[in-house]
Amino acid sequence: QLRDDDIQSQDIEIHNGPIPLESFNTSVSDTTGLFLASMGKFYGKLVIVGSEYDSPTEHHEASLAQAVFYNRAEPVIYNGDTLGYRADDAGVVSIDNLSLRTEPEYLNFPGVPIDTIGTRYSLLNVDGLGGRGFQYYGSHEYQWGVSGSISLPPFQVNINAPAKVQVLTPAAGESFSRSHNVPIKWRGGGQVVTILISDFQEGSPAKPVLQLRLKNNRGRVVLPKRVLQLLPENRSRFLFTFSSESSFVMRLISVYQENIAVRAVTSHSLVYSLNR
């Protein structure tokens, strides 16, 4: 147990267990810092994400709407092992009456000669391009519409998206000392804000190291040096991802019997350097 007055007084929860990440584009390896921390294992997902990324030399913004419904009655098996489940057709899926594109759902296992495993629905807008113009608007109520199919009944569901999280200080590229507390300020977000700290190297996917959960969003936090000293000493660059979300779990009455995670997530990722 890590005890520190600076940590306890700010209602910071520390988690350093496994933190699965989902790429914005599951058909390619995500090395851009645009990723989504997983909510957990759900067979149905309706996700809206707005993300910003800043390094000393780059700025990117992306908006994503994605839906997928896995069928546990149709496992994908290879050499006797269940690697996943087929993704069901859901008819027409829309967000605020804007239809999502149908795309192959991929199974990414090296050495396994199985590529696509069904259908997912997606709109991805990166730096103002693509996604049929879909945008993440903070403090907005989105409406999902699903026309349904043989395996999935039609339904609608609404979710309120939190205000965009945007870190104000420190700016991307700034350097911290591990021996000093670091004041951080941001605007936006919902009631709870999460800070995910990942090992970061250009051209490689981010590797989560530590996750902090701020139980009260005050728009600021003084990051205690005790937290910075938990990070690997042989690394100097880290990606700090500040995120906030609205989410709930729903279940349809008939046909599709799985829990469906409905999420609206906002995040801002910044590259920082740490020194002794």
Side-chain angles (χ1 to χ4, degrees), residues 67-101:
V68 64
F69 304 94
Y70 297 106
N71 188 340
R72 275 201 287 181
E74 295 189 35
V76 177
I77 300 174
Y78 181 71
N79 284 344
D81 295 324
T82 298
L83 304 182
Y85 300 90
R86 286 197 59 79
D88 281 342
D89 173 31
V92 177
V93 177
S94 64
I95 185 75
D96 285 352
N97 294 316
L98 181 64
S99 295
L100 276 64
R101 291 190 173 97

Side-chain angles (χ1 to χ4, degrees), residues 252-268:
L252 303 176
I253 296 175
S254 60
V255 186
Y256 192 78
Q257 294 297 315
E258 305 295 345
N259 288 337
I260 299 172
V262 185
R263 306 176 68 191
V265 186
T266 171
S267 70
H268 189 183

